[in-house]
Amino acid sequence: MFSSLCKTLRSSSVTKRRDSPHSILRWLSNVPENTVYGGPKPQNPSQRVTLINIRQKHRNGEPITMVTAYDYPSAVHLDTAGIDVCLVGDSASMVVHGHDTTLPITLDEMLVHCRAVARGAKRPLLVGDLPFGTYESSTQQAVDTAVRVLKEGGMDAIKLEGGAPSRITAAKGIVEAGIAVIGHVGLTPQAISVLGGFRPQGRNIDSAVKVVETSMALQEAGCFAVVLECVPPPVAAAATSALQIPTIGIGAGPFCSGQVLVYHDLLGMLQHPHHAKVTPKFCKRYAHVGEAIDKALSEYRDEVTSGAFPGAAHSPYKIGAADTEGFLQALEKLGLGDAASAAADAASKMEAQMK
């Protein structure tokens, strides 16, 4: 059989491609004609957003969109909407798990969220947060955690909080390990112990200068972007101007390179416990999904209670009249008269509803 195949290929190459001595090799190879290897293909809107795309948008002055996602459905929504960056934030600790802060969530819990999001979001750049307690001890710990987020979580990059020297060193070590990093300055929720709570930053000279200097240090460490959280717009504008990498604002005004919001907040789905059931001041509600959910659940409860649901329209699986009769007879033979009566009554009621 193999010799026959070879003869066919030789015959075809002689009769049809005399001017191409490598035609047989090309037919038997998956190597493109003019390249050594396939290599990365040009991006299009249906493919994954990469760091190249993010840098391109930044150079062109195009705003970058980022939204958090914690599960498969929210990731699919972000994918469909064409969001640039999907952040699997440690805010899942509060939004999904019901804690008052981001501190309790573990790395294993974060990895579950990351994997679910990776299955749903095929286009956005995927960024996973390093949770509190998984990167502060040493650079090696930070690198090990970041590796797990990529290998086990399916992320493209990681985000870490803070600008202390140890955090800068950790960021540098992770970048040198071949992992893309986003920094995070301003209000860093993992540091509420020293910040005294969820407090905005950069509201005096020293604090404002620190935001800019920390952002520059993270850039020097190799971060490809920096999140600026809860800082005054002039401070964010200064940081954005001083950096050659994008800034992503959250509660930092309109002068950043892009914006990020929490999925549940922008949809008006629910509120963080520590905000006493009030959406953060910086968040715009683009929908009131939470109200729609409450209304739908209440209607469902009422219809089940009243017996209105499910009616004939939502009971689609049928049994023919002849089979129903045979079924009733079979039940009678088994001594299940009450069951036969119940089945007959149900058949009669469903038939009445269909008329």
Side-chain angles (χ1 to χ4, degrees):
M1 182 174 179
F2 180 74
S3 60
S4 175
L5 174 62
C6 290
K7 287 179 181 178
T8 302
L9 289 172
R10 281 197 296 270
S11 174
S12 298
S13 66
V14 170
T15 58
K16 297 182 181 179
R17 293 181 176 264
R18 293 179 183 275
D19 59 338
S20 179
H22 301 293
S23 59
I24 294 178
L25 174 63
R26 282 180 50 214
W27 291 353
L28 295 178
S29 173
N30 63 354
V31 179
E33 182 176 1
N34 297 318
T35 61
V36 176
Y37 63 96
K41 297 179 180 178
Q43 291 290 304
N44 65 51
S46 67
Q47 293 178 315
R48 173 79 74 194
V49 173
T50 68
L51 263 63
I52 293 174
N53 303 121
I54 298 300
R55 288 168 180 151
Q56 220 165 32
K57 294 193 78 167
H58 180 236
R59 281 197 303 269
N60 295 338
E62 301 174 32
I64 297 161
T65 57
M66 179 190 291
V67 177
T68 64
Y70 312 110
D71 56 19
Y72 176 81
S74 58
V76 171
H77 287 154
L78 266 61
D79 196 279
T80 303
I83 299 298
D84 297 318
V85 184
C86 175
L87 172 64
V88 186
D90 61 353
S91 46
S93 176
M94 299 160 66
V95 178
V96 178
H97 295 274
H99 297 295
D100 290 334
T101 72
T102 63
L103 303 184
I105 197 165
T106 67
L107 177 58
D108 286 339
E109 288 172 326
M110 282 296 297
L111 290 174
V112 171
H113 290 294
C114 287
R115 287 192 290 269
V117 167
R119 287 190 286 270
K122 303 303 180 184
R123 182 185 178 276
L125 182 76
L126 302 181
V127 180
D129 254 337
L130 299 193
F132 180 71
T134 65
Y135 63 100
E136 298 88 346
S137 297
S138 66
T139 300
Q140 188 60 56
Q141 183 201 30
V143 172
D144 290 344
T145 301
V147 167
R148 289 192 66 189
V149 171
L150 265 66
K151 291 188 69 171
E152 299 177 37
M155 297 290 99
D156 302 314
I158 65 96
K159 181 175 78 65
L160 56 74
E161 288 187 11
S166 61
R167 306 292 178 94
I168 304 296
T169 302
K172 188 173 187 294
I174 294 170
V175 171
E176 289 177 348
I179 299 171
V181 178
I182 294 181
H184 183 159
V185 300
L187 193 168
T188 47
Q190 292 179 11
I192 59 169
S193 177
V194 294
L195 294 179
F198 295 93
R199 298 180 179 276
Q201 302 298 300
R203 301 180 73 180
N204 59 51
I205 295 173
D206 289 343
S207 180
V209 169
K210 183 180 179 182
V211 168
V212 176
E213 289 181 338
T214 302
S215 299
M216 295 175 69
L218 287 166
Q219 174 181 260
E220 184 66 24
C223 292
F224 74 90
V226 175
V227 169
L228 302 176
E229 181 168 358
C230 294
V231 301
V235 178
T240 302
S241 176
L243 297 177
Q244 295 178 324
I245 59 175
T247 57
I248 309 296
I250 177 167
F255 306 108
C256 297
S257 312
Q259 299 293 327
V260 58
L261 284 178
V262 169
Y263 176 86
H264 297 70
D265 284 346
L266 77 88
L267 291 177
M269 188 175 294
L270 53 80
Q271 293 76 39
H272 291 175
H274 76 274
H275 282 114
K277 298 185 178 179
V278 176
T279 300
K281 293 178 181 178
F282 56 76
C283 180
K284 177 178 179 179
R285 285 189 183 183
Y286 288 85
H288 296 278
V289 175
E291 294 176 11
I293 290 173
D294 289 343
K295 182 174 182 292
L297 290 172
S298 295
E299 289 181 4
Y300 166 72
R301 177 204 62 212
D302 292 343
E303 289 198 359
V304 170
T305 302
S306 68
F309 176 84
H314 298 96
S315 303
Y317 310 110
K318 312 299 180 187
I319 180 172
D323 287 324
T324 299
E325 186 60 34
F327 177 50
L328 298 178
Q329 292 174 6
L331 290 173
E332 292 286 358
K333 287 181 180 178
L334 291 171
L336 300 173
D338 289 344
S341 296
D345 185 51
S348 177
K349 287 180 178 178
M350 295 308 293
E351 185 178 351
Q353 287 187 24
M354 292 298 290
K355 290 180 179 179

